[in-house]
């Protein structure tokens, strides 16, 4: 009887690997941690109305947040590789709750920059790097499906958060809303982190899809994890992909940050109400679910280099529709198409890392890619604001080549910059190495023998 029960349990463990629990927890963690940042387009309108701050003044807060996130992302990956993702995420959770509660007391501009940009920017860096890389660490096979599920469902957050935040603010005011969000979100995050293990070996397990030829799961001490990460990075830095992927991420984020930071405000200047304009965010987030799911799966099968081209191209050309958008249905049509490119743009990087670097400790590499992404988000958002505000109160806008307008409350040139950045990303994707082989298969030969086994920071 005991033998039958044991066999049943072994069968269940094989069929329902804990890795899938990690996918589910990572998805909920991502949605919760990104509740406010995904709805920044709504916050822009709310703060501009309540404080009468200029668009660029408020955009600077998001720029600083993106720069803070960018600069700290390599550090976030470094810390996660050496001390474990769960410990790192606990620090992020404390910063998230504290920063949001402080934000609810804001009455000066400097407080927006300190609480939102710096404290929450640091939390975002820790979350953004260590949640998806932890999910990836639990899979040797079906990584594309796991990443696709986590990216697609996690990315749906803005489809809920934008209208939810708009409704919450309208019912309670932004101060109370910014108190409710961390109170509920904090409970969710801390509860899940109790079960969100950094590596399979933390539970004495192998990654999903590992076979008998893979090393036994042996949790590594911090010194060993630090040594492995250092040696791995020395080898990885010699590859072109190490430098090219962050720049590709930079271009993609410039392309979509101009849109996602400004499109709600732009729609309100075209006569849409805030409630109607908020649905633009919901629509492009919902349509992004398809590419967030399928691009990682296709990248896993066809190679990340091939799969990345289509979303970058679609993200760029869809912005052309904004030159003529005036009525709600036109904005919603744009959002539906843009979302497919936007969702796929960011979805293949974890797959590319696996194809280029195998099962190595890639949190630091992913952190460098987020450095490019964060700088791109900040640069794109700031450029959009500066272009809109240029000569707004100093005279007539400037006509360029008789095709589009610079300044004076016009986003024409901003949309052009968005298109060019996304299409430039297509070019640099073409320059990547083929993904058919691991670029540094023998990096562990540079390690001492005792550090060669598959590690885990607990």
């Amino acid at each position: 009887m005991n033998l039958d029960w044991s066999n049943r349990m072994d069968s269940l463990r094989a069929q329902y690997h804990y890795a899938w629990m990690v996918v589910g927890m990572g998805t909920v963690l991502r949605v919760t941690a990104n509740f406010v940042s995904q709805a920044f387009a709504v916050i822009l309108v709310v703060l501009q109305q309540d404080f009468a701050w200029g668009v660029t003044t408020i955009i600077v807060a998001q720029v600083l947040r993106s720069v803070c996130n960018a600069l700290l992302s390599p550090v976030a990956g470094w810390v996660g590789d050496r001390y474990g993702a769960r410990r790192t995420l606990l620090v992020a959770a404390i910063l998230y709750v504290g920063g949001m509660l402080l934000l609810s007391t804001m009455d000066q501009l400097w407080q927006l920059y300190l609480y939102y940009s710096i404290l929450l920017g640091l939390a975002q860096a820790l979350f953004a790097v260590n949640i998806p890389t932890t999910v990836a660490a639990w899979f040797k096979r079906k990584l594309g499906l796991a990443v696709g599920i986590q990216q697609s469902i996690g990315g749906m957050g803005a489809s809920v958060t934008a209208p939810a935040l708009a409704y919450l603010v309208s019912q309670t005011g932004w101060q109370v809303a910014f108190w409710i969000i961390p109170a509920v979100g904090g409970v969710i995050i801390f509860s899940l982190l109790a079960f969100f293990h950094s590596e399979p070996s933390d539970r004495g397990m192998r990654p999903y899809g590992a076979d008998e030829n893979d090393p036994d799961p042996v949790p590594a001490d911090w010194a060993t994890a630090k040594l492995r990460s250092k040696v791995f990075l020395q080898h990885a830095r010699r590859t072109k992909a190490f430098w090219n992927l962050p720049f590709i991420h930079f271009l993609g984020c410039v392309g979509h940050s101009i849109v996602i930071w400004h499109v709600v405000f732009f729609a309100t200047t075209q006569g849409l109400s805030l409630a109607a304009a908020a649905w633009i965010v919901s629509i492009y987030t919902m349509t992004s679910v398809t590419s967030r799911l399928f691009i990682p799966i296709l990248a896993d099968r066809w190679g990340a280099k091939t799969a990345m081209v289509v979303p970058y191209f679609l993200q760029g050309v869809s912005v052309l529709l904004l030159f003529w958008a005036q009525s709600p249905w036109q904005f919603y049509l744009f959002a539906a198409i843009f979302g497919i490119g936007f969702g796929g743009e960011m979805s293949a990087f974890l797959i590319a890392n696996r194809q280029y670097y195998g099962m190595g400790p890639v949190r630091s590499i992913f952190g460098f890619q987020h450095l490019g992404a964060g700088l791109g988000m900040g640069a794109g958002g700031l450029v959009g604001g500066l272009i809109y505000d240029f000569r707004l109160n100093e005279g007539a806008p400037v006509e360029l080549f008789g095709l589009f307008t610079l300044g004076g409350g016009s986003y024409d040139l901003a949309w052009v910059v968005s298109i060019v950045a996304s299409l430039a990303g297509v070019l640099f994707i073409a320059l990547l190495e083929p993904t058919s082989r691991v670029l540094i298969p023998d990096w562990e030969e540079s390690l001492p023998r005792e550090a060669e086994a598959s590690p885990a920071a607990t």
Side-chain angles (χ1 to χ4, degrees), residues 37-99:
S37 62
Q38 286 184 322
F40 178 75
V42 174
I43 296 175
L44 171 63
V45 177
V46 170
L47 296 183
Q48 201 274 336
Q49 292 174 346
D50 281 15
F51 290 98
W53 294 332
V55 172
T56 301
T57 300
I58 302 171
I59 287 292
V60 166
Q62 185 75 339
V63 171
L64 290 176
R65 178 188 174 102
S66 294
V67 171
C68 181
N69 174 26
L71 296 178
L72 291 170
S73 287
V75 178
W78 182 89
V79 172
D81 275 335
R82 286 157 177 76
Y83 303 111
R86 184 161 64 171
R87 288 188 178 91
T88 305
L89 291 171
L90 284 171
V91 174
I94 294 170
L95 290 169
Y96 167 79
V97 172

Side-chain angles (χ1 to χ4, degrees), residues 5-27:
W5 176 255
S6 177
N7 289 337
R8 289 179 184 177
M9 291 302 296
D10 289 341
S11 177
L12 285 173
R13 290 191 189 99
Q15 187 175 1
Y16 302 104
H17 196 284
Y18 194 81
W20 298 109
M21 289 284 291
V22 175
V23 172
M25 289 185 287
T27 300

Side-chain angles (χ1 to χ4, degrees), residues 28 50 66 181 209 211 298 334-335 423:
V28 177
D50 281 15
S66 294
I181 293 169
D211 54 39
L298 295 177
F334 153 77
L423 297 183

Side-chain angles (χ1 to χ4, degrees), residues 326-410:
Q326 293 183 329
S327 60
W329 74 266
Q330 291 172 314
F331 280 102
Y332 299 159
L333 175 63
F334 153 77
I337 300 172
F338 172 79
I340 298 172
F342 165 63
E345 179 275 329
M346 63 193 77
S347 298
F349 283 87
L350 285 169
I351 313 300
N353 289 340
R354 174 63 56 81
Q355 291 170 349
Y356 284 137
Y357 304 113
M359 296 294 292
V362 296
R363 287 189 176 95
S364 296
I365 286 181
F366 195 65
F368 278 105
Q369 291 161 10
H370 260 269
L371 170 64
L375 293 177
M377 292 294 292
L382 180 60
V383 165
L386 292 174
I387 288 173
Y388 178 85
D389 281 344
F390 179 73
R391 294 180 63 84
L392 188 59
N393 299 312
E394 300 177 9
V398 177
E399 296 289 336
L400 298 177
F401 311 113
L403 298 174
F404 44 84
T405 303
L406 170 61
S410 171

Side-chain angles (χ1 to χ4, degrees), residues 152-306:
S152 60
I153 300 177
M156 289 174 63
S159 67
V160 177
T161 60
L165 184 58
Y167 176 79
L168 190 60
V169 169
S170 69
Q171 296 298 310
T172 67
W174 62 266
Q175 295 94 336
V176 176
F178 287 171
W179 184 88
I180 293 173
I181 293 169
V184 176
V187 171
I188 295 172
I189 291 172
F190 282 109
S191 298
L192 290 178
L193 287 180
F195 306 96
F196 193 69
H197 297 284
S198 306
E199 307 279 350
S201 56
D202 293 349
R203 289 178 57 89
M205 301 175 68
R206 290 189 173 97
Y208 180 88
D211 54 39
E212 64 275 3
N213 296 321
D214 292 301
D216 291 331
V218 180
D221 58 76
W222 291 355
T224 302
K226 180 179 179 180
L227 175 61
R228 287 178 60 85
S229 180
K230 179 181 178 181
V231 172
F232 177 78
L233 280 176
Q234 288 174 346
H235 286 263
R237 281 197 293 263
R238 298 168 188 164
T239 66
K240 291 190 296 183
F242 178 87
W243 306 102
N244 206 354
L245 283 169
F247 187 61
I248 291 169
H249 217 344
F250 170 84
L251 291 170
C253 287
V254 169
H256 65 238
S257 66
I258 292 174
V259 174
I260 65 177
W261 288 19
H262 294 277
V263 69
V264 171
F265 180 76
F266 172 65
T268 62
T269 67
Q270 300 299 106
L272 275 67
S273 68
L274 176 58
W279 281 103
I280 299 172
V281 181
S282 298
I283 292 170
Y284 74 62
T285 303
M286 289 299 296
T287 59
S288 75
V289 170
T290 56
S291 53
R292 290 177 192 268
L293 175 61
F294 289 109
I295 290 298
I297 295 173
L298 295 177
D300 206 9
R301 294 182 179 180
W302 299 345
K305 179 177 177 178
T306 300

